[in-house]
Amino acid sequence: MRPLVGVRQADVVVVGAGLAGLAAARDLAAHGVDVVVLEARDRVGGRAYTIRCEDGTAIDLGGQWIGPGQTRIANVAASLGVTTFPAYDEGATILLARTPQAPEGERIEHTSAVPSSNPAVGAAILAAIESLDVLARTVPLEAPWTAARAREWDAQTFESWIAANVAVPAARAWWRIECAAIFAAEPHEVSLLHALFYSRSAGGWRSLVDVLTGAQERRFHDGAQEVATRMARRLGQRVILDAPVDTIVQDDQRVLVYSDRSGLGISARYAVVALPPALAGRIRYRPTLGGLRDQLTQRMPMGSMVKVHCVYDTPFWRTRGLSGQATSDTGPVGTTFDNSPESGNPGVLVGFIAGNAARRWSRYPRAARRAAVLSDLARYFGAEAAAPRGYIEQSWADEEYTRGGYAGCMPPGVWTAYGEDLRRPIGRIHWAGTETATVWNGYMDGAVSSGERAAAEIIASFDKSVWSPKEGSLTGPAQRRGFALSPARSIPYLGHKGADLKYTMTKQPGLMDAEAGDDMGTALEFEPASKA
Ligand SMILES: Cc1cc2nc3c(=O)[nH]c(=O)nc-3n(C[C@H](O)[C@H](O)[C@H](O)COP(=O)(O)OP(=O)(O)OC[C@H]3O[C@@H](n4cnc5c(N)ncnc54)[C@H](O)[C@@H]3O)c2cc1C
């Protein structure tokens, strides 16, 4: 581990410059709080990541759409002058679903998100939406585990509900494909309680699946990352890139957030960890976090998602009366959309390889995956689709600082056993990230609101304590337990008045007592503060 090359003082340190971390930092800075953001990557935005084709066309490799009710992300974007345009949603959409009668796929063309052109299939899907929405309305967004039927719903998967409640084969296939498209996870991986919470947090299933009146309504002209880029620009030098956080040490006075790669430590009064829980669990905490919080982070897997784009000279499918939208279980690409820029030039199709398909096709070489994707698109939209001028793919599981997407979600049993540990601050550490959102959980909107919520928690604490900080440290029992550091192993940092301070570990709710011999000083190898 590298020696500490510098300790910077701040009021708050934010870990992660995704939309959540940036929203937290923006609100804190607006409140006059001295905030520093440490970001692992050499860019901001996290799961909002935009690249450009040679002709300048923005391609969103991660989050891209916003829709009605997503006021947080919409307001941030508007305040920064990041403009949007409506997604293309004209013409026929294709459902190609394997059924016992049509093992190669039953093709249904329809003009709304739900394939109502086949009355039996459409009615079965709509009935299930209605039933699920009725159940979801009883799930409290702040505390899903307190729903009257929480235990029953958390003991089963979304798949078991679909199998028991959707009898029409093509409708059942549609639900499975949509589940993978919405969660990037198979319905057997998601608890029914989570599916109900998630849909309610978005305002219902129609909000999740619809295009022009749902979550797929609008896109950003310059790509979704532009929102994060402009937020970061406003924060200026408060945002530090290439600084993956490895270790967080806290006591009852301060929190020290340390990045080995950059050799930088930030000493602050509070930290906001704005990462997906699975990644937050990879940070080393001293004192160690309580078992419940850690076990939560072990149980919230990221979805499996490979997002592909094919670029064509024109959106040729439009002239054939097709919307560019397909839903299929006949190949790796489960869902597609027209992702052309507003001008319609070039034509761009986006495809989502989700859940089992993402895992299966990640094992193949890129060329084989490309061939399978193009074969799917040709089946959906015609032979021209097999000859794009550009092919772009992004596997989110391969990203060291994301490890999957769209988000972390709850398998059975997790909400009811660990839900309380999702947002509860531990000592001086507060948690943000879209996974902690109550509204539009999993979406960019939820990321922004989670950051705002974490900032508000800290501002409330500041109002109570920071401006007249509590002096003194923990008392005798803490020291007797052996987690007061000896002078030789204490962590020096420059206090606000330039004086060296020493950490005394404290017992706080949710924190484990550090075991005797748990050698924090060795782990961090700090140099004397005078060299900082
Ligand atoms: C393929 C895909 C498509 C999606 N489509 C949509 C969509 O159309 N609409 C929508 O609203 N949402 C969509 N989402 C979800 C949306 O992108 C996310 O909900 C949102 O961007 C999450 O923001 P966040 O700040 O919570 O987390 P992140 O964006 O993951 O931010 C976390 C940040 O922390 C950094 N980091 C990680 N580890 C460390 C560390 N140890 N130290 C310091 N920094 C660290 C990361 O690099 C990252 O910048 C999509 C996601 C994916 C992957």
Side-chain angles (χ1 to χ4, degrees), residues 378-391:
R379 231 163 344 102
Y380 307 157
F381 305 115
E384 229 173 319
R389 73 176 199 219
Y391 172 80

Side-chain angles (χ1 to χ4, degrees), residues 275-283 285 297 302 399-403:
L275 311 181
L279 291 188
R282 295 179 185 191
I283 291 177
Y285 300 88
T297 67
M302 301 298 282
E399 288 285 307
E400 182 177 8
Y401 296 114
T402 304
R403 286 303 185 203

